[in-house]
């Protein structure tokens, strides 16, 4: 019985046909590469969007934690006012830390509340006076105890210490100093009535005060 020899895979006899086949193979490979690049681009976009959401969420948490700080400082100011008949006042004070340091130790011993979590400011020594250190908040020194409840007593770091009319800049617009506790996202203010008010970088209302009040920055 005669055995037939197995045929080896044939190649195109026509060189042009062979070139076309190779070209199609290369084209198929190039298309797969484009698909891979497209997938990578989609993953990159989704990663950026996810990071943006995480950043926004983190900033919201920082604003909430900052508001909690202001509420605790407000309570400490209330204890001080009850004991002394007035809010902390130092005629020669140049920074908010100087009069607010008087809240220790009777008003509070928690110095962490004077540092905004979004500011990046260095932590203060625990339970120690901090009059010569930097804190994160502005203080409207000189407010009387019978002031209107909507008047502002404390706030995030502002761009300057002048009164602010509605629509004027109060916090950083671009995330750079000054007034950038929360980047370009605005900041919190605490009223004399104990309410936390949020403002965008441009004041949402008038934040003015009489000449008897001195706005002190960090």
């Amino acid at each position: 019985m005669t055995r037939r020899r197995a045929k080896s895979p044939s190649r195109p006899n026509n060189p042009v046909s062979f070139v076309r086949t190779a070209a199609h193979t290369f084209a198929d490979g190039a298309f797969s590469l484009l698909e891979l690049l497209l997938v990578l681009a989609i993953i990159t976009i989704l990663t950026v969007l996810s990071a943006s959401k995480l950043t926004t969420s983190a900033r919201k948490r920082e604003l909430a934690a900052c508001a909690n700080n202001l509420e605790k400082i407000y309570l400490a100011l209330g204890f001080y006012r009850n004991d002394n008949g007035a809010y902390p006042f130092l005629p020669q004070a140049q920074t908010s830390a100087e009069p607010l340091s008087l809240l220790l130790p009777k008003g509070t011993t928690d110095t962490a509340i004077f540092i905004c979590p979004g500011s990046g400011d260095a932590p203060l020594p625990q339970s120690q006076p901090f009059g010569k250190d930097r804190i994160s908040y502005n203080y409207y020194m000189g407010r009387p105890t019978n002031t209107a409840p909507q008047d502002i007593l404390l706030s995030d770091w502002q761009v300057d210490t002048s009164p602010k009319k509605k629509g004027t800049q109060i916090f950083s617009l671009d995330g750079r100093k000054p007034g950038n506790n929360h980047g370009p996202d605005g900041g919190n203010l605490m009223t004399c009535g104990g309410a936390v008010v949020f403002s965008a970088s441009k004041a949402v209302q008038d934040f003015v005060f009489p000449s008897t009040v001195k706005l002190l920055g960090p």
Side-chain angles (χ1 to χ4, degrees):
M1 183 176 179
T2 304
R3 293 183 180 180
R4 293 183 180 181
R5 185 178 296 178
K7 292 184 179 180
S8 59
S10 60
R11 294 184 180 180
N13 294 326
N14 188 341
V16 174
S17 176
F18 177 78
V19 170
R20 286 177 177 172
T21 301
H24 281 298
T25 302
F26 178 79
D28 289 342
F31 182 73
S32 298
L33 179 60
L34 287 174
E35 283 185 320
L36 177 61
L37 292 174
L38 181 60
V39 170
L40 289 174
I42 292 172
I43 291 173
T44 301
I45 292 171
L46 291 176
T47 301
V48 170
L49 291 175
S50 177
S52 177
K53 288 182 179 180
L54 287 173
T55 300
T56 301
S57 177
R59 287 180 174 174
K60 287 182 178 179
R61 288 196 300 269
E62 287 176 348
L63 277 166
C66 170
N68 187 52
N69 279 357
L70 291 175
E71 289 171 351
K72 290 179 179 179
I73 298 173
Y74 178 80
L75 288 175
L77 285 166
F79 294 142
Y80 184 94
R81 179 193 60 199
N82 291 339
D83 288 342
N84 299 276
Y87 291 117
F89 186 89
L90 291 175
Q92 304 303 318
Q94 297 299 311
T95 68
S96 54
E98 295 175 67
L100 291 180
S101 184
L102 298 175
L103 297 177
L104 274 70
K106 285 189 175 182
T108 182
T109 56
D110 184 8
T111 55
I113 63 177
F114 297 93
I115 300 298
C116 173
S119 68
D121 291 330
L124 299 169
Q126 188 62 27
S127 305
Q128 299 297 316
F130 52 82
K132 295 183 179 180
D133 297 307
R134 176 183 173 84
I135 64 173
S136 304
Y137 299 112
N138 280 37
Y139 173 54
Y140 290 75
M141 187 177 71
R143 291 285 195 198
T145 56
N146 61 347
T147 191
Q150 69 270 19
D151 288 341
I152 304 301
L153 187 58
L154 299 160
S155 80
D156 270 308
W157 185 23
Q158 298 183 24
V159 292
D160 57 46
T161 56
S162 64
K164 310 297 189 302
K165 300 288 287 184
K166 182 179 180 180
T168 61
Q169 186 180 352
I170 184 169
F171 301 117
S172 175
L173 291 170
D174 56 10
R176 293 183 291 183
K177 297 178 180 181
N180 65 337
N181 280 3
H182 302 285
D185 297 329
N188 292 315
L189 303 99
M190 169 62 73
T191 70
C192 291
V196 176
V197 177
F198 173 79
S199 175
S201 297
K202 291 189 176 180
V204 295
Q205 64 186 65
D206 289 347
F207 296 115
V208 297
F209 49 89
S211 58
T212 54
V213 173
K214 183 178 182 180
L215 178 55
L216 297 170

